Amino acid sequence: MPQHVRGVVARAKGEPVRVETIVVPDPGPGEAVVKVQACGVCHTDLHYREGGINDDFPFLLGHEAAGIVESVGTGVTDLVPGDFVVLNWRAVCGRCRACRRGRPQYCFDTHNARQKMTLTDGTELSPALGIGAFAEKTLVAAGQCTKVDPAASPAAAGLLGCGVMAGIGAAINTGGVGRGDTVAVIGCGGVGNAAVVGARLAGAAKIIAVDIDERKLETARTMGATDTVNARDTDPVEAIRELTSGFGADIVIEAVGRPETYRQAFYARDLAGTVVLVGVPTPDMQLDLPLQDVFGRGGALKSSWYGDCLPSRDFPMLTDLYLQGRLDLDSFVTETITLDQVEDAFARMHKGDVLRSVVIF
């Protein structure tokens, strides 16, 4: 029978979120109910609250989560109650042209639970990224559950569900960082610092972290940045060129999602270098670049959606690296909080006071 749980709801654009009672139906065919153990406070959730994604209010926020499968619907064969899972928002279909070509990380028909979670008055909720994990329990498509080693801390493993995977994947999967490359990362929040970590894992020789907040730059140094640039005081394009013998970086990862920082990334790369956009822009943003420069500089301009990850491949691998002590996911967790503290966590995130706040259930 349906369950009543507590969850964080954004009812209207810009309004403070609040904890309300959520009705979670029993799982239908191809669905699963997950008891959430931990969920990170990601900037995308704030985008939802601010209407920066769409206007399908009310939203059930939260998507960067890990938990235990409580029940599954008919037709689910690869999950059983008790499985420890990281939730993902790319449940590949296996049938679209990308999947058929062996590129499921670009699946065009990812799916979510068919049933809707609701408020107690029957109002249907839009779960953030099809997950809605700022709740004690959530209903998802079974394909959104990726099994990982249960020895991992839920607070750390859950971060693979979005921000950490987006950053590491932007470096390794999208940017193709290799041994000896020079890499610049513009914007050193959670995703940007994860890109620094990804570049380090891939063997980059030089990793240049760029931000306007000295606290974030200090964190980037602990994550593996070899050099830092405070863009409040220094032209980052000139600084990156100076640090790369005048050439520019092989790969520049833009983790802010703004036209001005994208332009910096574009001009801070070497000839035939790669720009990777992983920062999330808002719908109103426009980019103006001279087409002559786009043509003349060559190389590649890429966007990285979810770090071009394949959850079934990447989540278990990164969890194993964490358990081996080779990937310090715990360092991304600045604080642990309760559901009632999510609104305050948004404010701290906006001010740059935290790398990640994580709701613990």
Side-chain angles (χ1 to χ4, degrees), residues 168 172 196-204 207 318 321 326-327:
I168 291 178
I172 296 176
V196 168
V197 169
R200 177 178 56 80
L201 284 171
I207 305 169
L318 293 173
L321 290 178
R326 298 166 62 191
L327 173 58

Side-chain angles (χ1 to χ4, degrees), residues 6-344:
R6 299 170 73 237
V8 173
V9 175
R11 282 188 172 263
K13 181 177 179 178
E15 285 189 6
V17 299
R18 54 194 187 191
V19 177
E20 303 200 35
T21 300
I22 308 302
V23 181
V24 181
D26 291 334
E31 297 175 343
V33 170
V34 175
K35 184 179 183 346
V36 181
Q37 293 181 303
C39 185
V41 180
C42 177
H43 205 279
T44 302
D45 291 303
L46 186 57
H47 273 314
Y48 272 105
R49 195 201 73 174
E50 296 302 308
I53 306 293
N54 57 54
D55 59 356
D56 294 334
F57 291 93
F59 292 110
L60 175 59
L61 299 182
H63 60 279
E64 193 178 73
I68 301 294
V69 174
E70 181 179 86
S71 58
V72 298
T74 58
V76 177
T77 58
D78 55 352
L79 289 176
V80 296
D83 282 341
F84 177 59
V85 296
V86 174
L87 299 181
N88 74 78
W89 42 274
R90 175 171 276 167
V92 301
C93 71
R95 300 179 302 275
C96 71
R97 64 187 185 277
C99 288
R100 292 198 309 269
R101 296 172 68 190
R103 300 173 182 174
Q105 68 271 29
Y106 302 126
C107 178
F108 301 113
D109 193 24
T110 57
H111 53 279
N112 304 316
R114 292 183 178 274
Q115 299 183 88
K116 289 288 190 179
M117 292 178 280
T118 68
L119 298 173
T120 53
D121 64 2
T123 301
E124 292 187 347
L125 293 164
S126 299
L129 291 173
I131 292 176
F134 282 153
E136 294 162 330
K137 298 178 183 180
T138 190
L139 176 76
V140 294
Q144 294 179 277
C145 299
T146 303
K147 290 187 284 188
V148 298
D149 192 324
S153 157
L159 301 183
L160 297 175
C162 189
V164 169
M165 184 69 255
I168 291 178
I172 296 176
N173 295 335
T174 313
V177 176
R179 293 186 297 275
D181 282 342
T182 57
V183 179
V185 178
I186 298 178
C188 295
V191 173
N193 272 305
V196 168
V197 169
R200 177 178 56 80
L201 284 171
K206 184 179 288 289
I207 305 169
I208 305 163
V210 181
D211 205 285
I212 60 173
D213 188 329
E214 195 59 44
R215 297 170 301 173
K216 294 182 179 180
L217 293 173
E218 179 57 37
T219 300
R221 292 185 193 99
T222 67
M223 297 287 187
T226 59
D227 301 272
T228 58
V229 174
N230 190 322
R232 189 182 296 278
D233 307 321
T234 306
D235 181 338
V237 175
E238 292 304 316
I240 292 168
R241 289 187 175 281
E242 184 175 335
L243 288 164
T244 55
S245 303
F247 298 113
D250 297 311
I251 299 101
V252 184
I253 299 169
E254 200 279 281
V256 180
R258 295 192 59 84
E260 53 268 38
T261 45
Y262 188 91
R263 286 179 62 88
Q264 291 169 354
F266 179 83
Y267 287 108
R269 67 187 174 124
D270 196 359
L271 289 174
T274 298
V275 174
V276 176
L277 174 65
V278 67
V280 181
T282 56
D284 60 304
M285 291 179 178
Q286 300 288 325
L287 178 66
D288 183 15
L289 281 173
L291 195 56
Q292 180 75 39
D293 288 354
V294 175
F295 175 77
R297 297 183 67 81
L301 307 179
K302 298 182 176 183
S303 58
S304 185
W305 198 64
Y306 209 179
D308 287 335
C309 79
L310 183 60
S312 60
R313 174 195 66 198
D314 294 340
F315 290 6
M317 178 267 291
L318 293 173
T319 301
D320 288 346
L321 290 178
Y322 165 67
L323 292 173
Q324 294 165 15
R326 298 166 62 191
L327 173 58
D328 186 8
L329 294 176
D330 294 319
S331 64
F332 285 90
V333 182
T334 306
E335 62 176 2
T336 57
I337 62 172
T338 67
L339 272 181
D340 303 281
Q341 297 172 303
V342 168
E343 181 65 32
D344 292 337

